[in-house]
Amino acid sequence: RTIVHLLQYCPERRTKELDLVEDIVPLHNVGVDLALAKAPKQVYLAPSKQTLPFHYEAGRCTVNVPVVTGHEMIVFA
């Protein structure tokens, strides 16, 4: 299986050596296109196990993640 981590944070530089993340702004309908040697049997979010519809053609798997709120893991199994 392959796991893809999506990260989305907007750090704010407060001092020369300190970045803070106070607000996490969600991203909606994030498209992911990944090269895979063979078609996965399933694609889902971890740890929730929410199944995602996907399309596999010519060695590429495309999937749409409904929302990314800071961090999301996509499992191609």
Side-chain angles (χ1 to χ4, degrees), residues 3-77:
I3 301 174
V4 174
H5 293 263
L6 300 177
L7 298 173
Q8 192 281 326
Y9 296 102
C10 297
E12 181 180 331
R13 173 103 344 154
R14 293 286 176 92
T15 70
K16 191 174 184 178
E17 297 156 353
L18 179 65
D19 293 333
L20 293 177
V21 176
E22 290 186 353
D23 298 318
I24 298 173
V25 179
L27 296 178
H28 297 272
N29 300 314
V30 178
V32 175
D33 182 71
L34 182 67
L36 293 173
K38 62 179 185 174
K41 293 180 181 158
Q42 63 176 337
V43 177
Y44 61 91
L45 298 175
S48 69
K49 303 244 183 196
Q50 176 187 345
T51 301
L52 298 176
F54 66 92
H55 178 74
Y56 183 85
E57 184 177 335
R60 309 227 31 113
C61 186
T62 56
V63 64
N64 186 54
V65 180
V67 65
V68 177
T69 307
H71 175 248
E72 197 64 68
M73 289 186 292
I74 311 166
V75 180
F76 296 82

